[in-house]
Amino acid sequence: MAPTYSRVERATWAERLRRDLPGLPVTTDAPMSEYTSFRIGGPADLLVTPRDEETLRRTVLWAVREAVPMTVIGRGTNLLVRDGGLPGLVLRIGEGLDDIDVSEGTIRAGAGVALGDLSRSASRRGLSGLAFACGIPGSLGGALVMNAGAHGGEMKDIVRRVQVLEADGGASWLDQSELGFGYRRSVLQGGGLIVLRGELGLRAGDRSAIEVEMERWTQKRAAKQPLEYPSAGSVFRRPEGHYVGPMITQAGLRGLRVGGAQVSEKHAGFIINRGGATAQDVLEVIDRIRRAVMDKFSVELVPEVRVIGEG
C-alpha cells in the first residue's frame, strides 16, 4: 500500500524546496490535466520543470534527502493521472533538456526533445531511420523508457546508448545491450534512473524520400486516429497474433461511453476524452473492455497507458 501524507506534511514541502533551492520555479497544486495529453488528472503537490541538467540533479538530490515522493514525467502523452492527484514532487522533463546535436550519422539529443522535432531534424540532414517516429507525440526520454515504436520501427533499432541520472546525482551511459529492450519495455521502467539524453545511430538517406515517407505516415495517422480529441494514444499493448481495435469492435464496445470517456468510433483502440472525463471514467472503460475481450476471445489485454496517482 502506498504511503499517505498529512496536510501539514505536504504543506511544508514547497516551503522547504524554495528555501533549499532558491530561484527554482515551483508550481504548487499543479493540475495534472494541464500536463497530460488526456487532459485528465488531479493536482500535484509540487511541479518543477528543470531548466537544465544541473537544476534537475539538484532537485533530485533534494527529494531523496528530504524523503519527498518523486514522479518523473515527460510530455504526458502516455499517462493517466488519477483524480486524487500526485503526492510530492513531479519532475517534468521538457524545455531546458531539449538540445539536439548532429554529427556524421549520430544524433545526440536531450530527453525533453519532442520526437516529431527530432525526426524532422534528422530528415533535414538527410538521415534515415527515424521517420517512423514522426507521429509519436511524446518526448525522446519517454520513447526510450517505453521503447516506443510505429510503422514497423522501434527505438531499440536506432539507439546506441542512453545517459541516465541516478538517485545519488551521478550520471552514466548505458549501452544498447544494457537497456533490456523488448516490446514497449526497457530496464529504464524500473525506477531509480532518469533519462538525460540518448545517442541514436542513423544512416545517410535521400532527404526528399525521407520527407515523403514522413508525410505518408502523418496522413495515415490523421486518417485513422481520433486526433481531434484528447487521449493517451493506444490504450493497450498489442497481444501476439491479435489486433486490439477489431477485438474491441467485435466485442460490441466501439463507442462505449462512461461519463466523459469514450471508446473512439474512429479507432476502437483509443479511449478519448469527450469533455470533462475523469480518470475513474477512463479506468471503468478500460475494465469493461478487458473483461469483454477476455470473455469473447480469452485474450488478456495489458494496458500500455501508464496509470499513476491517488484515487
Side-chain angles (χ1 to χ4, degrees):
M1 180 180 295
T4 57
Y5 303 92
S6 70
R7 285 181 175 271
V8 172
E9 192 173 11
R10 295 172 105 151
T12 65
W13 288 336
E15 179 183 342
R16 287 153 50 194
L17 179 55
R18 288 176 172 138
R19 177 198 66 202
D20 295 342
L21 298 179
L24 180 69
V26 180
T27 303
T28 57
D29 295 320
M32 293 306 296
S33 58
E34 296 182 6
Y35 299 95
T36 64
S37 60
F38 235 146
R39 297 293 181 258
I40 293 172
D45 292 321
L46 309 170
L47 184 139
V48 172
T49 302
R51 58 181 176 267
D52 52 39
E53 186 178 321
E54 178 59 20
T55 303
L56 171 61
R57 188 186 69 82
R58 293 173 63 205
T59 306
V60 168
L61 288 174
W62 178 88
V64 171
R65 184 182 72 242
E66 298 294 319
V68 173
M70 181 175 62
T71 303
V72 180
I73 69 169
R75 292 176 175 263
T77 56
N78 190 44
L79 197 62
L80 177 64
V81 179
R82 294 180 185 271
D83 301 313
L86 290 165
L89 172 68
V90 173
L91 272 174
R92 182 172 174 264
I93 309 298
E95 303 84 359
L97 292 167
D98 55 358
D99 54 292
I100 300 176
D101 180 68
V102 183
S103 176
E104 296 184 356
T106 297
I107 289 186
R108 185 178 291 184
V113 174
L115 276 183
D117 292 342
L118 191 60
S119 62
R120 285 186 289 273
S121 180
S123 70
R124 284 194 297 269
R125 292 165 172 82
L127 294 176
S128 178
L130 195 53
F132 75 87
C134 66
I136 299 176
S139 61
L140 175 61
L144 292 170
V145 170
M146 291 297 296
N147 184 28
H151 314 303
E154 292 181 296
M155 294 306 297
K156 70 177 180 63
D157 300 330
I158 55 175
V159 171
R160 287 180 176 167
R161 56 180 187 157
V162 174
Q163 189 182 36
V164 295
L165 181 71
E166 300 169 25
D168 63 1
S172 61
W173 287 91
L174 298 177
D175 290 332
Q176 204 269 8
S177 61
E178 300 176 275
L179 293 167
F181 282 129
Y183 177 66
R184 302 299 178 264
R185 63 179 173 82
S186 75
V187 298
L188 302 170
Q189 294 174 16
L193 298 175
I194 299 173
V195 175
L196 294 175
R197 58 184 43 81
E199 187 176 281
L200 313 178
L202 305 179
R203 58 189 180 276
D206 179 76
R207 174 175 174 173
S208 296
I210 297 168
E211 291 177 344
V212 167
E213 180 183 6
M214 290 170 61
E215 180 60 24
R216 184 172 71 251
W217 294 136
T218 299
Q219 291 180 2
K220 184 175 181 180
R221 179 171 178 261
K224 293 193 172 184
Q225 297 181 12
L227 304 182
E228 63 272 30
Y229 292 102
S231 78
S234 298
V235 175
F236 301 100
R237 300 181 181 185
R238 183 167 68 85
E240 187 174 353
H242 299 274
Y243 289 95
V244 173
M247 284 196 297
I248 294 173
T249 298
Q250 291 172 45
L253 297 184
R254 180 185 288 267
L256 168 70
R257 184 165 179 172
V258 175
Q262 183 180 37
V263 177
S264 170
E265 306 234 25
K266 193 172 186 180
H267 188 317
F270 285 62
I271 296 174
I272 57 175
N273 180 355
R274 291 296 301 262
T278 65
Q280 190 55 44
D281 292 340
V282 175
L283 291 171
E284 185 172 337
V285 173
I286 289 175
D287 182 62
R288 289 175 65 174
I289 289 172
R290 296 184 73 189
R291 286 190 283 111
V293 169
M294 175 58 76
D295 288 345
K296 187 172 183 64
F297 300 100
S298 298
V299 173
E300 182 178 6
L301 292 182
V302 177
E304 184 172 312
V305 64
R306 178 184 172 205
V307 182
I308 60 175
E310 300 178 326

